Amino acid sequence: QVQLVDSGGGLVQAGGSLRLSCAASGRTFGSYAMGWFRQAPGKERVFVAAISRSGGSTFYADSVKGRFTCSRDNAKNTVSLQMNSLKPEDTAVYYCAASSKAPSRLSSWYDYWGQGTQVTVSS
């Protein structure tokens, strides 16, 4: 079993940056593909980014491509989401998730979830 703890959220002005982190427990972190999802108030949880087990492949939603970068450090059991050029529409609770299968845009593909961290972007 994997436990995930999200952190790094906060309030930032449009155009600013934030770096989210997700710390994982256990010694099998490298066997999981990781993903980031977000959920805005009154909306469904949607895919943001995903990264393969080795970190060699990354995938992004069109809405964040070129602005967000997902990375991982398997030695430290962490995955990060660097968010630049933030927009008010990026405001949401952000969740990291772990999948024992391949990285996916589907939330149902993921087995474990963090508790979420709030990101608020003011205009």
Side-chain angles (χ1 to χ4, degrees), residues 20 33-38 46-52 57-71 79-83 94-99 103-107 110 113:
L20 305 184
M34 299 297 295
W36 286 96
F37 290 76
R38 66 187 182 187
V46 298
F47 171 78
V48 175
I51 189 166
S52 61
S57 297
T58 52
F59 310 87
Y60 299 97
D62 288 344
S63 59
V64 307
K65 201 171 295 183
R67 299 188 297 124
F68 290 12
T69 302
C70 184
S71 60
V79 61
S80 299
L81 185 69
Q82 177 66 42
M83 307 186 295
Y94 284 71
Y95 300 88
C96 72
S99 171
S104 173
R105 299 171 181 267
L106 300 175
S107 60
Y110 292 82
W113 293 82

Side-chain angles (χ1 to χ4, degrees), residues 21-41:
S21 294
C22 175
S25 65
R27 292 178 287 181
T28 60
F29 177 70
S31 64
Y32 291 90
M34 299 297 295
W36 286 96
F37 290 76
R38 66 187 182 187
Q39 187 167 18

Side-chain angles (χ1 to χ4, degrees), residues 79-94:
V79 61
S80 299
L81 185 69
Q82 177 66 42
M83 307 186 295
N84 298 328
S85 303
L86 283 161
K87 305 175 181 180
E89 50 264 43
D90 293 320
T91 295
V93 178
Y94 284 71

